[in-house]
Amino acid sequence: ISYPPSLARTLFDMDEGQLRLQMQGLLKLQGIALVEVYEQGSIRAFREGDPSIPADIEREFPLEYSFIKRGSEKSYPLGFLKVVISLQPSYRRLWENSVAILFTSSMQIFFASLTLLMIIHVLVTRHLVTMANYATQLDIHTLEGNLTLSRPYHDTSKPDEIDFVVNALNDLQIRLKSDIIRRIRAEEHIRRLNAELEERVRRRTEE
């Protein structure tokens, strides 16, 4: 701390106004709650600050007025400076900073999660819903249209898992349609054979 020499010089000059200004400047330093100046004999002369604040650390610094006499430096003791430091403001700032960091981190995680969910929805979920609806509505009357997805920025030359599922559903639709067509043709063929057989039976009966 660099204040003691300046305080000692001001105390020696008995400039109370300047001394109190310097003590008030000390109070502006982080954590300092009380500043006291004691004269020789441990007599308190000046005090600045709040003595009711709990003291966590106390430090005393001698106040000596230095002067040159007969070519050599002399020191004249004037008293001492007592500085009381409280860690409560530091704890409070630490708590406030922790809460602010926690809140900021939580908001960052929230918005990152929201952004990730939106990306997943745009790239995956909505297509899964479309494919599920297509598979649910797939029946004998809805076999004409193929499943297509709206993916304007997708490189079709590099198919992904969604492309594989779409292709599988479209292949299934084609196979179902082919099987139904074959079954219809087989039924028509059987009906024709039955009709021909009935006609032959009728003719023989008439004969």
Side-chain angles (χ1 to χ4, degrees), residues 8 11 25-27 57 59 96 98 111 114 125 148 154 161 175 198:
L11 182 61
L26 261 175
L27 285 174
I57 301 174
R59 292 289 185 270
E96 292 173 351
S98 300
F111 284 114
L114 184 62
T125 307
T148 57
H154 175 58
E161 290 78 3
R175 288 197 300 271
E198 290 176 358

Side-chain angles (χ1 to χ4, degrees), residues 113-168:
S113 302
L114 184 62
T115 302
L116 181 60
L117 286 175
M118 292 178 62
I119 293 174
I120 293 176
H121 173 72
V122 171
L123 297 180
V124 179
T125 307
R126 67 188 184 99
H127 299 311
L128 293 178
V129 172
T130 302
M131 290 186 288
N133 292 334
Y134 177 82
T136 302
Q137 298 172 2
L138 194 61
D139 58 23
I140 191 173
H141 304 292
T142 57
L143 294 177
E144 297 300 328
N146 290 333
L147 173 62
T148 57
L149 300 178
S150 176
R151 305 177 74 188
Y153 302 105
H154 175 58
D155 186 2
T156 55
S157 63
K158 299 179 180 179
D160 55 16
E161 290 78 3
I162 293 180
D163 291 323
F164 296 151
V165 176
V166 171
N167 293 334

Side-chain angles (χ1 to χ4, degrees), residues 14-78:
M14 297 299 294
D15 188 347
E16 180 178 350
Q18 181 63 24
L19 182 64
R20 290 193 179 276
L21 284 176
Q22 291 174 319
M23 294 172 68
Q24 291 169 4
L26 261 175
L27 285 174
K28 294 179 180 179
L29 297 179
Q30 182 177 347
I32 296 182
L34 182 66
V35 179
E36 295 177 332
V37 172
Y38 288 81
E39 296 179 345
Q40 285 294 96
S42 298
I43 301 174
R44 188 177 66 216
F46 304 98
R47 168 189 280 175
E48 291 291 338
D50 187 358
S52 64
I53 298 178
D56 296 302
I57 301 174
E58 292 185 3
R59 292 289 185 270
E60 294 181 358
F61 303 91
L63 296 176
E64 297 178 345
Y65 179 71
S66 300
F67 58 95
I68 304 297
K69 184 178 180 180
R70 294 178 183 178
S72 62
E73 185 176 359
K74 303 291 183 179
S75 296
Y76 179 74
L78 301 176

